[in-house]
Amino acid sequence: MADQQKSTQKSDSPGDILEQVVEVVREAAEGIVEDVKGVAQELGIVPPPAAPHAAAPTESASVAEPRGRAADDNRYDPTPVEEKWAALWESDLTRYAPEPPSSGKPKYYVVEMLPYPSGALHMGHVRNYAIGDALARYMWMSGHNVLHPMGWDSFGLPAENAAIKHHRQPREWTLGNIAAMKAQMKRLGFSYDWSREIATCLPEYYRWNQWFFLKLFEKGLAYKKKSKVNWCSDCATVLANEQVVDGCCWRHEGTLVEQRELEQWSVRITDYSEELLQGLDNMEGWPEKVRTMQRNWIGRSEGANVDFKLDGGETKITVFTTRIDTIFGATSIQLAPQHPLVAELVGQDPNKLASLEQMLADQKKAREEGDIGSLDKKGFDTGHFAINPFNQERVPIWVANYILMDYGTGAIMSVPAHDERDFEFANKYGIEVRIVILPRREQEPPEAGQPEHPVLPFVAEDSLLINSGPFNGLACEEAQKKMAEYAEEQGFGKATITYRLKDWGISRQRYWGTPIPILYCEKCGMVPVPEDQLPVLLPENVEITLAGGSPLTRVKEFYEVPCPKCGGIARRESDTMDTFVDSSWYFYRYTSPIDTAPFDSDIANYWFPMDQYIGGVEHAILHLMYSRFWTKFMRDIGLIKNDEPAKRLFTQGMVIKNGAKMSKSLGNVVSPDDMVARYGADATRLYTLFAAPPDRDLDWQDQGVEGVYRFLSRLYRFITENPARMAAGEPREYNVAELAPDARKVLRKLHQTIQRITDDFQGRWHFNTSVAAMMELLNACMVRQELFSQNSTAPKAFRAEVQRKLILLLNPFAPYLAAELWSTLGEDTHALLRHPWPQADPALAKEEEVEIVVQFNGKVRSRLTVPIDAEDDTVRQAALNDEKVKEALLGKVIVKIIVVKNKLVNIVVRG
RNA sequence: GCGGGGAUGGUGAAAUGGCAGACACACUAGCCUUAGGAGCUAGCGCCGCAAGGCAUGGGGGUUCAAGUCCCCCUCCCCGCACCA
């Protein structure tokens, strides 16, 4: 199945599909970037320079230069502060480690999809991790035992491209990139437990891919079969789909990519089709969109197989149909051009052979261009006939280009009266159209032989069968059941279910991947590598080239080895595994990266299923389907107990700029390093949360970062200029009733803010409004700055409480500034991570009075201020006594008055 | 064609059926400054001197009240697509 093949041939990973494409394009086009990066890495400059004043503007020319910090410049300079805390946290190795299950705290396992180590983080990563980090920190603060790990999806094509282009070993290139990106992540202050870090390209990880492969092989779930791959004759190798550009090889413009049949390893994911489909119904924590996409991808379709015998022979043609009830209207059989019977039926007829060739070429072209749906329907009559087993009628056998070999049986019965495509085809070639179902209300058959029907009942609701022999008068649904039963009784067919989902082709003819642990012995045939001989190490210092097939076949000491069974001559499987294998189970490994098993089952059972998985929607089908399959397989071999990997899935929107996804070619890339250098990690992260709700696309605006940076500066000033430090033993209690009205207002706003932010975390995750709420709170404090000054009459305990809680609210979003200000208040920053989340007190949050509007027929005419929760009658009277209202009432008749508590009065008037 | 998501000021966006535009950005004016690319103050949907009117892609409807609910339509983005 070519479409499936297309997809499964991808070498992409959940890390980032586009990134790899960008990498390919970038390298093909210039290679300059890599050169620079390479030089930088050779010089040992792994992390990007973090000095704010030295950062050179790149694409972001519209951003102001880093400003000089004159003596009177009281803006917050994040760099020294953030670097100070980053260094401190770096030395605190167990800072983000979870507690043992015996802590008794509810567990919370949150994972952001691991990146491909391309060399540098992009803003999409920053956004993804900012969301996950805010959530992890909130969960810590609300008393959970949090596991928050990170790793690297580090096998894959770009490393080989780098090897070819710059003569660097994939391993060295990859590990260098990991080091650089890890430094970026640390600079951004994400709360990862690095002691659990994994890199899929390391033997301690990929040996378990091999172990799983052996288990799959043992269970018959991994098998070898011929399947189609993209093949470039100039490169003499298989290409990934991303390497196919407009149907040609990306390195040989003008060389058409062929589809070649090769022996490929496949994984029987289809054994789980039904469970994968049905599981979706219960996954309420997953976006409906992702569930729908997976349902469509699995593509379950109920129908029946029916055998048509070749006229004058015993050969059978099995067709798949979902509408067996229309079989009396079948006026031809249509075969896919690739159908195995076609060669025999066509014989040596040169005209037919030519049509067939043309058809195959058209199909291939359309498929490559991705618009197979718009292909003109074409076909030819083979001159042979088949017998309809229901009525013994002879129907002609055609070959048609709209029949797909890889769906159903590659053969259909054509019912032009009740299928649009069949109708279009039949009309073009003058094939009979015979109506066999009619809506119940028009049981008047059209005149026999009538060539054209103005409106065909293609798929009619509530129809009955006609012209269908013994089945006449049955409703369609009933007929489908009865006719399938009849076919089964008579032995020429049966009800069946077809899935669009195909087995997962995992073979890659490439170097930088997990070697498949299989040997081919001259005597014993196919031999799995014994478990105790794992890992099959990927050889190093291999010359990478795309010419002449897999590089591994040229490494003698790898390729030619003795057979583990007989000691005779054997050669190794030279294919490596699809990188989607790596990412199908990595989140289990985080829970216990041990060296005696893929993971410790007891520990995995404590943490799984993941409470929250976060990543891009581009992985909705492949990665998320494969990892669901892997989970079910691991459950079936007794490794784990859960049926699904993640309770909740969140797919964040893309980061775009000027209406398009950031890309080098469009020149609209904003580098996280530049932003961190100019505004700090806190501001960069905060902006990704503030600019849009996390599920929507984020339109990057450089000036927007400036805005959140100003907020952080104001907050920094607010606290550092008048910190309300409580000395040890100083009472933290104060009497709310004695607060001045202004202080009372601040306290009210504080509790309203706590409520709003808590609601956002627990509900819809609109962190943009959480940040806005913090800004409002700070504004409310700053317009009453005298309350917080050194000679304020407000109780110090009150001031300290407001400042502390403001910082606690900030902590999930801007951890560096939170730590800095927390220490300014003399508090213990080590405890900040697990400091209890502030609780909103509804009584303190409640307003004392509200402004309500008075409407006339829904139009605002006046406003009045009344005590909160005032009785409707009181409010009605107050409204009617209002001068403006009295004036507006002149000459009008009141029809009725609606009072909405604490909101409005609507006076319905006439005249 | 099918499925999903969108459309609100100059911009990003707020809004349990109840004052549309919170919070920011940009802009304008002023203050402070040797300076301003810092900070502070004020203004800022559109029309209008004002009173007021008009405004949430377009058109209908329900309702005392609609960005929000219902029906029809347009456009944009993302999946899937000759699936029998």
Side-chain angles (χ1 to χ4, degrees):
Chain A
M1 177 187 182
D3 285 335
Q4 169 77 2
Q5 191 62 38
K6 246 176 131 92
S7 305
T8 54
Q9 279 293 327
K10 288 188 180 177
S11 68
D12 309 315
S13 55
D16 198 327
I17 289 178
L18 201 98
E19 203 164 62
Q20 295 194 21
V21 178
V22 166
E23 189 71 26
V24 165
V25 171
R26 181 209 289 173
E27 297 222 356
E30 25 170 354
I32 297 165
V33 178
E34 286 316 307
D35 287 329
V36 171
K37 210 183 279 167
V39 170
Q41 275 164 3
E42 275 158 31
L43 294 172
I45 312 167
V46 184
H53 311 292
T58 53
E59 266 85 12
S60 319
S62 60
V63 175
E65 294 278 324
R67 38 199 67 71
R69 301 195 193 276
D72 62 348
D73 182 350
N74 50 3
R75 294 184 108 193
Y76 166 57
D77 185 359
T79 304
V81 171
E82 294 184 349
E83 287 181 345
K84 174 183 76 184
W85 291 108
L88 219 72
W89 295 343
E90 176 73 33
S91 60
D92 183 1
L93 291 178
T94 58
R95 180 177 177 77
Y96 299 116
E99 296 161 48
S102 59
S103 70
K105 291 181 178 177
K107 66 96 183 176
Y108 195 86
Y109 187 16
V110 51
V111 181
E112 296 110 64
M113 289 182 186
L114 85 180
Y116 176 80
S118 59
L121 294 181
H122 56 63
M123 274 303 171
H125 291 126
V126 175
R127 189 184 195 197
N128 187 178
Y129 310 148
I131 295 166
D133 199 56
L135 184 67
R137 287 175 190 271
Y138 167 77
M139 285 298 165
W140 257 305
M141 295 177 80
S142 47
H144 291 80
N145 187 23
V146 176
L147 176 56
H148 188 212
M150 184 41 76
W152 309 97
D153 186 23
S154 49
F155 270 139
L157 186 60
E160 282 183 63
N161 293 334
I164 293 161
K165 191 89 190 166
H166 309 297
H167 305 287
R168 312 215 12 227
Q169 278 299 302
R171 181 185 155 87
E172 172 208 353
W173 182 85
T174 302
L175 295 181
N177 287 349
I178 288 176
M181 291 169 77
K182 188 170 170 180
Q184 283 184 295
M185 286 190 188
K186 287 189 169 176
R187 181 64 186 81
L188 281 156
F190 298 126
S191 60
Y192 299 126
D193 179 0
W194 286 109
S195 72
R196 294 152 186 280
E197 177 185 12
I198 55 134
T200 59
C201 67
L202 299 177
E204 60 256 37
Y205 186 87
Y206 70 68
R207 69 173 291 181
W208 301 112
N209 284 344
Q210 295 172 340
W211 185 86
F212 277 121
F213 181 90
L214 294 177
K215 296 287 168 203
L216 288 164
F217 185 72
E218 197 182 304
K219 304 274 172 203
L221 289 172
Y223 64 99
K224 220 174 181 189
K225 70 159 186 191
K226 283 207 166 202
S227 60
K228 279 183 197 143
V229 292
N230 299 310
W231 184 267
C232 171
S233 51
D234 285 355
C235 301
T237 192
V238 168
L239 299 180
N241 275 343
E242 309 82 68
Q243 292 172 313
V244 181
V245 182
D246 293 330
C248 294
C249 174
W250 63 299
R251 300 181 72 229
H252 298 100
E253 211 178 313
T255 304
L256 271 174
V257 171
E258 310 164 28
Q259 300 287 305
R260 276 218 182 163
E261 291 251 310
L262 281 185
E263 286 259 301
Q264 301 274 290
W265 283 98
S266 283
V267 170
R268 230 178 275 283
I269 189 172
T270 53
D271 273 15
Y272 289 83
S273 300
E274 197 59 41
E275 200 196 336
L276 286 167
L277 179 69
Q278 289 190 1
L280 293 169
D281 293 341
N282 305 320
M283 292 159 68
E284 274 102 20
W286 284 43
E288 191 50 51
K289 174 178 183 162
V290 171
R291 295 199 276 166
T292 306
M293 284 166 76
Q294 293 211 351
R295 273 189 202 105
N296 293 341
W297 188 258
I298 295 169
R300 182 184 201 270
S301 162
E302 279 182 43
N305 281 345
V306 180
D307 299 333
F308 284 60
K309 261 187 200 156
L310 209 56
D311 187 23
E314 282 305 303
T315 310
K316 279 189 247 173
I317 300 173
T318 305
V319 304
F320 173 70
T321 175
T322 53
R323 294 302 303 269
I324 193 173
D325 53 315
T326 64
I327 199 165
F328 283 79
T331 51
S332 68
I333 292 290
Q334 303 286 345
L335 302 180
Q338 301 85 348
H339 195 282
L341 218 58
V342 168
E344 184 189 327
L345 298 181
V346 166
Q348 298 304 311
D349 185 323
N351 288 334
K352 287 176 186 166
L353 282 172
S355 316
L356 193 61
E357 205 163 302
Q358 185 61 47
M359 237 183 251
L360 288 166
D362 289 351
Q363 251 190 17
K364 200 181 99 189
K365 189 156 172 265
R367 205 164 271 226
E368 276 152 5
E369 286 164 6
D371 62 341
I372 195 151
S374 62
L375 198 61
D376 262 355
K377 289 189 177 41
K378 272 189 209 160
F380 61 85
D381 189 347
T382 63
H384 295 265
F385 290 83
I387 307 296
N388 184 338
F390 273 85
N391 57 8
Q392 309 310 315
E393 198 176 338
R394 287 172 86 232
V395 292
I397 302 172
W398 287 62
V399 177
N401 66 349
Y402 71 99
I403 309 304
L404 307 172
M405 192 57 222
D406 40 29
Y407 184 78
T409 59
I412 64 150
M413 61 176 205
S414 173
V415 185
H418 306 294
D419 182 286
E420 284 191 58
R421 292 154 304 166
D422 293 348
F423 182 70
E424 187 188 333
F425 190 85
N427 249 1
K428 181 166 174 180
Y429 292 104
I431 299 172
E432 185 195 348
V433 177
R434 188 190 305 159
I435 292 177
V436 293
I437 57 176
L438 270 188
R440 201 185 284 271
R441 44 193 160 69
E442 358 169 329
Q443 285 296 309
E444 284 279 309
E447 280 172 43
Q450 188 177 325
E452 277 170 72
H453 309 270
V455 182
L456 275 169
F458 284 123
V459 183
E461 289 292 308
D462 190 25
S463 295
L464 302 180
L465 270 65
I466 58 169
N467 295 330
S468 297
F471 301 98
N472 277 342
L474 289 179
C476 291
E477 225 169 284
E478 199 191 347
Q480 284 168 22
K481 247 176 100 184
K482 290 227 160 113
M483 292 168 87
E485 279 165 16
Y486 174 76
E488 186 155 13
E489 275 163 34
Q490 302 292 314
F492 57 74
K494 69 178 212 183
T496 169
I497 296 165
T498 292
Y499 298 89
R500 212 179 70 102
L501 182 70
K502 297 292 178 236
D503 278 342
W504 171 16
I506 60 160
S507 278
R508 297 293 179 272
Q509 289 70 39
R510 297 220 202 81
Y511 164 71
W512 193 233
T514 305
I516 293 176
I518 289 286
L519 291 151
Y520 303 95
C521 170
E522 287 181 350
K523 281 193 211 136
C524 316
M526 193 186 287
V527 182
V529 174
E531 230 177 82
D532 58 13
Q533 289 179 26
L534 295 184
V536 175
L537 286 173
L538 191 62
E540 290 190 33
N541 299 316
V542 172
E543 195 207 341
I544 311 294
T545 150
L546 286 187
S550 169
L552 288 178
T553 55
R554 291 187 301 272
V555 183
K556 244 188 171 174
E557 58 279 18
F558 173 84
Y559 192 56
E560 294 169 16
V561 284
C563 170
K565 256 193 193 164
C566 70
I569 298 171
R571 62 172 180 82
R572 264 189 211 288
E573 171 62 78
S574 59
D575 284 354
T576 52
M577 294 181 203
D578 181 5
T579 58
F580 276 113
V581 171
D582 312 347
S583 56
S584 287
W585 64 280
Y586 72 98
F587 26 63
Y588 290 91
R589 176 95 182 148
Y590 284 144
T591 64
S592 43
I594 53 177
D595 58 10
T596 51
F599 49 84
D600 180 301
S601 288
D602 289 340
I603 300 177
N605 281 330
Y606 170 74
W607 289 109
F608 270 84
M610 287 183 276
D611 294 275
Q612 185 69 60
Y613 195 29
I614 309 173
V617 74
E618 63 271 23
H619 304 113
I621 296 178
L622 297 178
H623 163 59
L624 291 170
M625 185 82 80
Y626 296 144
S627 50
R628 289 183 63 216
F629 158 74
W630 212 274
T631 290
K632 291 169 193 304
F633 169 65
M634 292 193 299
R635 175 203 60 198
D636 289 349
I637 60 173
L639 283 181
I640 48 165
K641 295 205 170 83
N642 50 301
D643 296 319
E644 296 288 347
K647 255 185 255 174
R648 283 165 53 95
L649 170 72
F650 186 86
T651 54
Q652 91 271 10
M654 287 189 301
V655 179
I656 59 176
K657 198 183 178 193
N658 308 328
K661 175 148 186 173
M662 289 184 182
S663 75
K664 283 271 181 224
S665 59
L666 290 174
N668 62 349
V669 174
V670 178
S671 145
D673 289 344
D674 288 353
M675 289 299 129
V676 169
R678 285 199 181 83
Y679 301 106
D682 282 341
T684 306
R685 294 171 51 167
L686 197 60
Y687 175 68
T688 67
L689 297 173
F690 178 63
D695 54 340
R696 250 203 256 180
D697 285 352
L698 186 163
D699 194 347
W700 187 274
Q701 295 187 1
D702 291 325
Q703 289 144 333
V705 194
E706 186 85 32
V708 294
Y709 169 69
R710 282 210 279 259
F711 160 66
L712 294 176
S713 291
R714 274 155 58 82
L715 180 57
Y716 177 79
R717 282 203 318 272
F718 171 66
I719 294 193
T720 55
E721 283 173 8
N722 292 300
R725 298 177 72 131
M726 303 299 287
E730 213 172 333
R732 292 197 170 188
E733 306 289 311
Y734 61 94
N735 190 343
V736 175
E738 286 170 12
L739 287 182
D742 255 14
R744 187 68 189 76
K745 276 184 188 155
V746 168
L747 193 64
R748 192 178 300 130
K749 188 77 182 174
L750 172 68
H751 283 271
Q752 290 169 349
T753 306
I754 295 170
Q755 190 63 57
R756 282 177 66 183
I757 296 176
T758 307
D759 287 349
D760 271 330
F761 270 115
Q762 292 184 344
R764 45 177 213 168
W765 283 21
H766 278 198
F767 301 130
N768 54 331
T769 58
S770 301
V771 178
M774 281 190 282
M775 289 171 169
E776 283 182 55
L777 175 58
L778 179 62
N779 290 346
C781 291
M782 290 191 81
V783 296
R784 300 177 180 86
Q785 213 153 7
E786 68 289 351
L787 266 181
F788 294 90
S789 68
Q790 295 306 322
N791 45 17
S792 165
T793 54
K796 192 176 168 197
F798 156 79
R799 289 181 274 144
E801 185 195 341
V802 172
Q803 293 192 340
R804 270 189 293 119
K805 289 190 172 162
L806 186 44
I807 295 166
L808 292 173
L809 293 174
L810 180 75
N811 191 42
F813 306 103
Y816 284 121
L817 183 58
E820 176 70 10
L821 296 177
W822 198 243
S823 79
T824 300
L825 292 186
E827 303 281 346
D828 173 9
T829 53
H830 190 79
L832 182 55
L833 186 71
R834 288 178 176 81
H835 189 288
W837 184 250
Q839 296 298 305
D841 181 338
L844 294 177
K846 198 164 190 175
E847 297 285 349
E848 280 158 10
E849 48 187 27
V850 283
E851 186 187 72
I852 63 164
V853 296
V854 184
Q855 300 178 326
F856 274 53
N857 296 341
K859 299 245 182 240
V860 179
R861 281 294 176 272
S862 184
R863 293 157 196 278
L864 26 120
T865 302
V866 299
I868 190 93
D869 294 337
E871 291 301 322
D872 288 0
D873 278 345
T874 319
V875 176
R876 185 181 297 116
Q877 275 316 312
L880 290 173
N881 289 336
D882 182 75
E883 286 307 319
K884 279 194 198 155
V885 172
K886 282 182 180 164
E887 202 178 305
L889 267 175
L890 289 175
K892 303 234 163 56
V893 182
I894 298 178
V895 179
K896 74 171 154 177
I897 300 179
I898 287 137
V899 181
V900 182
K901 201 176 277 296
N902 299 331
K903 287 271 163 54
L904 55 75
V905 176
N906 190 12
I907 304 175
V908 185
V909 294
R910 231 183 13 230

